[in-house]
Every structure is written in structure tokens, then in C-alpha cells.
Amino acid sequence: MLPLPWTAGTATATAGHGLGFPLTDFHVHLDNSTIDKVLELSRERGVKFGIVEHAGTKENVYPVVLSNDAELKRYLAMLDGKSVFKGIQTEWTDWMGCFSREALAQLDFVLTDAMTFPGKDGRRVKLWEADTAARVKMSDREAFMDRYVDWYVETMAKQPIDILANVSWLPASMAEEWETFWTPARMREVIEASLKYGVALEISSRYKLPKLAFLKMAKAAGVKFTFGSNGRYPDMGKLDYSLLMAAQLELKAADLFQPAPDGQKAVQRRKFQTG
Ligand SMILES: [Zn+2]
């Protein structure tokens, strides 16, 4: 049984996970809490947090959606001086148009996922919502899967992101057949795009994904990983699955994503259209 750092209740527990590097949860949402309450948990669990606020146009419905430089800068100021990494979780394909490159460069990282997908009418569909079957062509599940993998590649190719979260998540109607749909060829496409565009892949403790076979292939290829709880209060920093996989993969510090130094962040090295 792996000793879990948050069970010990002190910051010194960080060393107790036995992996030989400090822990960061790069997928922490502040919804329904405050930075100060969340920081208490960070200290108790011995896990540093990468905070992500949703960012994109106001068409996206979340408790908070940062949609312009002024909102982004207020968010950055709120986190200023706190012992966290500052991130955003971006929405849809048009979020870059909301901000200037200069404002985005003040972030430590940009995270997104591929769970919002174009429907039959080309509009965004959240694949976890109940109306998905009506709005997305999914009757041929293999054909959907091919388009979904293309969507992963396109997301990494076109958006200046540092971390892809919730990797390999499947809609509820397909989740039980994960091994059938995530063939080695499909895994390889995602992994190759991650390397090509310099995007780290999240090991999600919320979804317990990707499964080990995917992660083994990714590690052998040289992919960088992050750990993510996708947690709302008080669940941030709970990284059981991520740590279990890290132990099985024998991950070292060098296998893990670190926020890039100024000048090398995705929003600084990638080409894209800003607002
Ligand atoms: Zn999230």
C-alpha cells in the first residue's frame, strides 16, 4: 500500500510518498471556496497546487469564466504572492481571442481537455452532458472514436496549451469498453501529438485515467506528465491514482512537467491569433 501524503496531515508528509520528488496537483478549481482555505489543504496534504480558473468566451457556463485581460489580471492579482502555480482551464477553440499574449504570459501554465467536442451543427457539446447522444453523431462508435482522436490532435496542434487534462476520458456509453476503443494506434496518435507540440499529459486521479497501458506507451515515448485531482473543495490534492501510476511507471522528477521559464511557455512559443 502506497503511503498517501495527505493522510499524515503535515507538510512534511511530502517525502512520505516515496517517489523522490515534491508533489504538485496541477488541476485545482477554487469553485465554492477561497484561495486561503485551499492553501490550508495544500499545507496539510503536502501537495503544491496549480490553480485553474475557466477561461474563454461568456458562452461557456461555469461559476466563473475569465473572458478578457481585465478579468484575467484580477485573477492573477488574487493569486499573487500565494504559494501556488497560476493556471487557466481553457474552453472551446476560441479562448485565445479573449486575451492579449502579454496577459496570458503572466500565467504559469494553460490547461485544457478534449471533452468539449463539435456537435452535428458544429457547436460545442460537453460530452458528459445528457443531450450528447442527440447532438453528436455517435451511432457508429468506432467512427466517433476516430473523430475524437483527431480532435485530441487538433486541440494540441491549434491551441497554445501546456497540459492536456482528463486524457482518454470517454462518454458514459463507451467508458466500460475503454480497452476496446483506446487501441494502441489511437494512443500513439495522442502521444505523438503531445511530443510534437510539447504538451504534458495529465494522470487524472478524478477519472483514474489514462490506464496503465496508455501511460506505459507515453512514458516510453518521453512524454511529460502532470498529476491532477480536478478537485473542488475539499478534494484538491487527492492524488491516489496518479501516485499509484507514478509508482508503477517508476516516474522520476525528469518525467514530470514543470511550468516553463519566461519566454518558453506555450503561449509564448506557439503561434496563434490573440484578441
Ligand atoms: Zn477542470
Side-chain angles (χ1 to χ4, degrees), residues 3 34 39-40 69 72 87 98 107 113 121 126 138 146 186 211 243 246 270-271:
T34 63
L39 275 169
E40 276 175 34
D69 274 6
L72 177 57
C98 299
L107 290 159
D113 63 48
D121 57 4
K126 293 169 176 168
M138 290 178 74
D146 287 338
R186 287 175 177 144
K211 296 193 184 190
L243 296 182
R270 302 285 303 276
K271 285 199 177 69

Side-chain angles (χ1 to χ4, degrees), residues 27 29 54 89 230 232:
H27 197 159
H29 290 284
H54 291 280
Q89 178 162 5
N230 200 349
R232 274 75 175 170

Side-chain angles (χ1 to χ4, degrees), residues 26-29 31 52 54 62 89 91 111-113 115 165-166 202 206-207 229-232:
F26 276 103
H27 197 159
V28 170
H29 290 284
D31 310 6
V52 290
H54 291 280
Y62 287 98
Q89 178 162 5
E91 295 303 322
L111 170 149
T112 199
D113 63 48
M115 292 165 68
N166 307 324
E202 178 185 83
R206 174 162 177 180
Y207 293 118
S229 66
N230 200 349
R232 274 75 175 170

